[in-house]
Structures are given as structure tokens and as C-alpha cells.
Amino acid sequence: GAGVSQSPSNKVTEKGKDVELRCDPISGHTALYWYRQSLGQGLEFLIYFQGNSAPDKSGLPSDRFSAERTGGSVSTLTIQRTQQEDSAVYLCASSPGLALYEQYFGPGTRLTVT
Amino acid sequence: QQQVKQSPQSLIVQKGGISIINCAYENTAFDYFPWYQQFPGKGPALLIAIRPDVSEKKEGRFTISFNKSAKQFSLHIMDSQPGDSATYFCAASMRGYQKVTFGTGTKLQVIP
């Protein structure tokens, strides 16, 4: 079956603009995660969803970042008033349930803020 | 206490050699330890995982060694191949806590 998909694959935006990044998880996966990966760096946890609710928003870097998930499926990560330090690859992952399950990652969205 | 410390940051191994990447954790409540492999331009993919009730797990050329008393675990890649060149992340999670904690990654280069 289809894996996790993310769109767009690349996004170049001007500083100060808002951007929306989309994640389509594997069908039936109840858990969904967003991570940020700066060039050559590790995975920075941003937010986690179980169903449509986000019990843990502690990783969001600032109030310019928000995320939602609808229908227990598609998720959107929104960054308002983008800054150059927001430039990174944003990865989405889904899993069948609890953290003890394998996470399936999408290919990521490369965001460049100019 | 939620950290997972990974070393080395980068590693160069000759083809046919053994690659060893180490991770250490503090939280004894962790009970699932996966390793992920990431190729450039791709998302990470699960390589192999272990639970703390076993000391070793082997899948092909990849082996996880787990030392519960030392709170350490390591990935061994036997007969390393140029196609193994990638970034490897260790991780840890625990029942009832949804977030997975990742190590900082090791960039492995296998030279012919």
C-alpha cells in the first residue's frame, strides 16, 4: 500500500510569509508525528497526534507554529511569519498506535525561507 | 532524563569492516529501542529494534547489542558495504508515553 506522503516536496518562501505543509499518513494509522531536521542535524520533535488530538505540543518552537489533524487522517503544519531559522526539512511520520510501534516516515518537505 | 546520547557523530569504515555505533540512555522506563537508517533526501526507515528482555538481536548483517545494567545499546554492521553509507539514528520509547526520543545521528561512510 501507499506510504506516508508529504506535500509540497520543496517550498521556497519569503521571510514573513505563512506556509502550510501537508502530511497524508498511512491509512488506519492513528498516531502521527511531525519532526524538524536542520541540515546535517538530528530529528527535533515538534508535535504528536493521537487521532485528531495533540496531547503533546511541547516541541513547537514558538507560537508561530501550529498543527491540526482532521478526520484522523491528513495533518497540516502551519508556520506563520516565517523566519530564516525556520529553513529545514519537515518530516512527518505515522504509526499504528503507541510509541512502541514502528514509525513510518514520509520523504519530507524542504522549506527554504529567503 | 529523556535524552538518548549517540556516538560517534561520524564514522568512516572500509568496505568489509565492522561499523559500530553506540547509544546511552538514562530513563530506565524506556522499553523499546529502534534504530533508523536515513539516506540523503529520504525520510528515516526502521532498520532493526530490540526490547530490553533480550541482550542481542541479529538481522542479516545488522546486530543490536543491549546492556541493560549499563543503560547502553549499540548497532553493529558486519561486512560493511558502500550501500550502507547513510545516517543512523538510535531511539527509545516507553509504554504509555507517545513520544519517541531520537539520538543525534551518526553519519556513516563506507569506503571501497
Side-chain angles (χ1 to χ4, degrees):
Chain A
V4 177
S5 61
Q6 293 186 245
S7 60
S9 56
N10 279 286
K11 176 72 177 179
V12 180
T13 190
E14 291 181 353
K15 177 182 173 181
K17 300 280 191 182
D18 298 352
V19 295
E20 283 190 354
L21 312 181
R22 178 186 168 107
C23 172
D24 282 87
I26 293 173
S27 177
H29 280 193
T30 60
L32 186 147
Y33 301 78
W34 283 98
Y35 296 90
R36 180 168 70 174
Q37 187 172 33
S38 300
L39 186 62
Q41 300 300 308
L43 298 168
E44 177 188 4
F45 168 81
L46 297 179
I47 191 169
Y48 147 79
F49 287 91
Q50 178 64 38
N52 290 334
S53 64
D56 187 353
K57 300 181 181 180
S58 62
L60 294 177
S62 74
D63 58 9
R64 295 186 295 106
F65 288 72
S66 63
E68 66 175 10
R69 188 179 185 194
T70 55
S73 181
V74 172
S75 177
T76 303
L77 177 69
T78 301
I79 309 173
Q80 296 179 310
R81 305 181 303 282
T82 52
Q83 304 294 313
Q84 287 187 331
E85 61 262 28
D86 299 334
S87 296
V89 175
Y90 290 82
L91 290 162
C92 172
S94 71
S95 74
L98 302 176
L100 300 186
Y101 286 86
E102 172 181 359
Q103 292 193 7
Y104 294 80
F105 283 82
T109 293
R110 180 175 297 279
L111 175 66
T112 303
V113 182
T114 60
Chain B
Q1 219 191 9
Q2 292 300 108
Q3 275 189 324
V4 176
K5 296 182 180 179
Q6 183 172 347
S7 63
Q9 187 175 3
S10 62
L11 182 61
I12 299 175
V13 172
Q14 283 207 312
K15 178 182 175 182
I18 303 173
S19 304
I20 302 174
I21 304 171
N22 300 301
C23 286
Y25 63 97
E26 288 295 322
N27 191 339
T28 56
F30 285 139
D31 54 4
Y32 178 64
F33 302 89
W35 284 87
Y36 285 82
Q37 179 189 54
Q38 184 180 28
F39 292 106
K42 306 289 186 183
L46 180 70
L47 186 63
I48 187 172
I50 197 169
R51 298 189 188 274
D53 52 345
V54 297
S55 60
E56 186 175 281
K57 183 173 181 180
K58 185 176 181 179
E59 289 185 2
R61 296 183 295 107
F62 299 90
T63 300
I64 299 179
S65 296
F66 187 84
N67 187 329
K68 191 173 182 177
S69 60
K71 292 184 286 187
Q72 295 175 347
F73 58 109
S74 59
L75 176 69
H76 292 65
I77 306 174
M78 312 300 287
D79 186 27
S80 299
Q81 300 296 312
D84 297 331
S85 297
T87 299
Y88 292 81
F89 294 94
C90 62
S93 63
M94 58 183 154
R95 194 175 304 277
Y97 187 71
Q98 308 301 343
K99 193 165 78 174
V100 177
T101 301
F102 284 86
T104 50
T106 296
K107 187 173 183 179
L108 170 65
Q109 184 181 359
V110 181
I111 55 177

